[in-house]
């Protein structure tokens, strides 16, 4: 049974880089059945898809975040990471990592981590 | 402003049947599968429906999904108090090359 766990700083200063890691257990991020990605939820608001990556390096990013975003996979540690540059208060949110099951041409989130809160503030 | 449109709230009484709507366009719902997620208070979202109308293992039969044209629906029959929470639709948008969510519908069980 896949399980995912987010980790990283809960507080980031404006203009700096937000970095989070997701550790996967119960499965391999080298699997051909999954992309691996991130979703966030600002306080009191809805879900926003951030992006995902396949083992091949193929990645899909939310167009509104693409210029600041990097998702990467570390197969040796069975982890994947999120880096978001030049953060502002608008990036304050609960961040979730999730496995994205391959479904024909696309993918969908099937297993989610519990999430981690990130606040952008000086 | 979300790409997919969902009413902000709905309510029902225990035992009742409630439905949730999700409206999109030919770039998203019109040509791709729709997925539904349930987010109970203080918890991570959980997959309820995939490929428009399929239930993952462990999701009760009283949850059902459908799609027609550029709209999709989720129905809960035999409503229970523990169903209270937020419900989100999602799909791929070919124009944006991105997965998109609806704004979510908050379900209150009276």
């Amino acid at each position: 049974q896949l399980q995912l766990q987010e980790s990283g700083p809960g507080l980031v200063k404006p203009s700096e880089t937000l970095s989070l890691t997701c550790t996967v257990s119960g499965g391999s991020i080298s699997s051909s059945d999954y992309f691996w990605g991130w979703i966030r939820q600002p306080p009191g608001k809805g879900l926003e898809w951030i992006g995902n990556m396949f083992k091949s390096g193929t990645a899909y990013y939310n167009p509104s975040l693409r210029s600041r975003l990097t998702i990467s996979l570390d197969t040796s540690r069975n982890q994947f990471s999120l880096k978001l540059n030049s953060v502002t208060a608008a990036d304050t949110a609960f961040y979730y990592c999730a496995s994205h099951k391959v479904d024909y041409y696309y993918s969908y989130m099937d297993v989610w981590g519990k999430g981690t809160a990130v606040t952008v503030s000086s | 402003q979300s790409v997919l449109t969902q009413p902000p709230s709905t309510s029902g009484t225990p035992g009742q049947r409630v439905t949730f709507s999700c409206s999109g366009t030919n770039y998203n719902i019109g040509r791709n599968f729709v997925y539904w997620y349930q987010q109970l208070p203080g918890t991570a979202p959980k997959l309820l429906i995939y490929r428009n109308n399929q239930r993952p293992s462990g999701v009760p039969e009283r949850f059902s999904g459908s799609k027609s044209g550029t709209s999709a629906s989720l129905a809960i029959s035999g409503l229970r108090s523990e169903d209270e929470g937020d419900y989100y639709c999602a799909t791929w948008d070919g124009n944006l090359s991105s997965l998109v969510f609806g704004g979510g519908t908050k379900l209150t069980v009276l």
Side-chain angles (χ1 to χ4, degrees):
Chain A
Q1 188 83 340
L2 265 179
Q3 290 187 310
L4 293 86
Q5 178 67 59
E6 304 87 351
S7 59
L11 181 64
V12 182
K13 290 182 169 55
S15 80
E16 295 191 346
T17 297
L18 182 162
S19 296
L20 296 174
T21 297
C22 183
T23 300
V24 177
S25 57
S28 170
I29 66 168
S30 296
S31 169
S32 296
D33 293 333
Y34 290 97
F35 282 71
W36 305 94
W38 298 88
I39 305 93
R40 70 181 183 179
Q41 185 172 33
K45 296 189 178 180
L47 301 170
E48 179 182 31
W49 187 74
I50 296 173
N52 66 16
M53 177 171 277
F54 193 63
K55 63 175 183 175
S56 63
T58 297
Y60 295 97
Y61 291 164
N62 185 319
S64 69
L65 299 171
R66 183 175 292 133
S67 63
R68 300 191 289 131
L69 179 63
T70 303
I71 295 175
S72 59
L73 307 185
D74 184 342
T75 54
S76 66
R77 297 185 178 187
N78 218 37
Q79 295 176 333
F80 61 99
S81 299
L82 162 73
K83 290 189 187 301
L84 187 64
N85 301 328
S86 305
V87 297
T88 69
D91 295 309
T92 293
F94 217 74
Y95 285 76
Y96 296 98
C97 63
S99 58
H100 290 56
K101 190 168 179 64
V102 173
D103 195 11
Y104 288 98
Y105 298 112
Y106 306 116
S107 63
Y108 63 94
M109 296 75 64
D110 65 340
V111 179
W112 298 61
K114 292 184 178 180
T116 188
V118 178
T119 300
V120 177
S121 175
S122 55
Chain B
Q1 191 83 1
S2 301
V3 173
L4 305 179
T5 300
Q6 295 184 254
S9 63
T10 191
S11 63
T13 56
Q16 201 174 19
R17 182 177 187 271
V18 295
T19 61
F20 303 78
S21 64
C22 177
S23 178
T25 70
N26 283 319
Y27 289 118
N28 42 65
I29 292 179
R31 62 180 63 181
N32 295 310
F33 290 128
V34 176
Y35 309 92
W36 289 91
Y37 295 89
Q38 175 194 58
Q39 187 175 32
L40 301 178
T43 69
K46 169 191 168 185
L47 178 66
L48 270 186
I49 297 288
Y50 67 101
R51 288 190 186 177
N52 304 332
N53 56 19
Q54 301 298 302
R55 283 185 309 277
S57 172
V59 173
E61 289 183 6
R62 58 194 190 86
F63 292 91
S64 61
S66 64
K67 178 184 129 173
S68 178
T70 59
S71 295
S73 305
L74 170 74
I76 307 176
S77 58
L79 194 62
R80 300 181 177 182
S81 58
E82 56 260 39
D83 296 331
E84 190 164 276
D86 298 316
Y87 292 80
Y88 295 90
C89 58
T91 188
W92 186 265
D93 188 293
N95 190 41
L96 298 173
S97 292
S98 174
L99 193 144
V100 293
F101 284 102
T105 298
K106 183 176 184 62
L107 170 65
T108 301
V109 180
L110 302 170

